[in-house]
Amino acid sequence: MKELFETVMTRLQEQIPEIKMTDFEMGQLEVLAMDQRPALVFPCALIDISYVKCDDQGGGVQIVQARVNVRLAFECPLPTDSRATSARREAALAIFDTVDKTYKYLQGYGTDEFSPFSRKTQIPDNRFAGIKIINMAFETTFEDQTAEV
């Protein structure tokens, strides 16, 4: 799991300079519900990994289907409404360029250790005024082997 996290984090940092901070998802954004500012630098990407299916292959080997959730969060100080100037609206909507880059640089990316990522969902979270959150889920598979005893 650690290697998968570090691979995704490095890929985002190297390919998408607009993302100012990448971290492991630990509920950092939830403090917004208590009117507190999270200890994050926006825009940020929070990464979480879950094993959605594990199949025994024998000999201490499992094939693991993993879901990598990338939670992108942006502060949205500029207007996006129809009365905003096109320059201000374009600046505000630049968050979608970052979302598109995240998809572009993760979709189909794989290594010798895990299969290419496939995006499965992309869902907005609009609970917090002034903060736009996009949850993107990618799936991959890899072989996991127990340590020799």
Side-chain angles (χ1 to χ4, degrees):
M1 187 178 292
K2 179 180 173 183
E3 181 179 328
L4 188 56
F5 169 78
E6 289 182 347
T7 299
V8 173
M9 181 176 67
T10 300
R11 181 103 174 134
L12 293 175
Q13 288 175 326
E14 290 176 350
Q15 300 296 328
I16 311 170
E18 295 86 350
I19 296 175
K20 303 297 182 202
M21 180 180 188
T22 306
D23 197 2
F24 193 64
E25 169 68 65
M26 294 180 282
Q28 296 94 317
L29 291 169
E30 302 313 310
V31 300
L32 290 165
M34 298 177 284
D35 292 326
Q36 295 179 13
R37 182 165 176 81
L40 297 168
V41 179
F42 293 99
C44 65
L46 302 173
I47 302 165
D48 207 358
I49 300 167
S50 55
Y51 291 1
V52 295
K53 186 176 181 185
C54 302
D55 289 319
D56 291 329
Q57 301 296 301
V61 174
Q62 282 192 324
I63 299 298
V64 177
Q65 180 181 350
R67 181 164 283 211
V68 177
N69 193 63
V70 178
R71 193 174 188 196
L72 299 171
F74 306 86
E75 284 184 302
C76 302
L78 297 173
T80 56
D81 63 82
S82 61
R83 297 182 320 170
T85 65
S86 24
R88 287 178 63 92
R89 187 172 42 257
E90 181 65 28
L93 295 177
I95 65 172
F96 294 113
D97 298 333
T98 304
V99 172
D100 290 345
K101 284 182 182 181
T102 302
Y103 166 72
K104 175 183 175 184
Y105 288 113
L106 290 180
Q107 176 68 22
Y109 179 73
T111 69
D112 291 339
E113 302 301 318
F114 58 87
S115 68
F117 290 117
S118 175
R119 180 178 59 183
K120 297 301 176 185
T121 63
Q122 182 172 313
I123 302 169
D125 178 346
N126 296 315
R127 289 179 293 152
F128 308 113
I131 303 291
K132 182 68 174 178
I133 301 169
I134 305 289
N135 293 304
M136 301 176 81
F138 294 85
E139 287 187 356
T140 185
T141 57
F142 61 90
E143 188 176 286
D144 200 7
Q145 186 165 355
T146 60
E148 292 185 33
V149 179

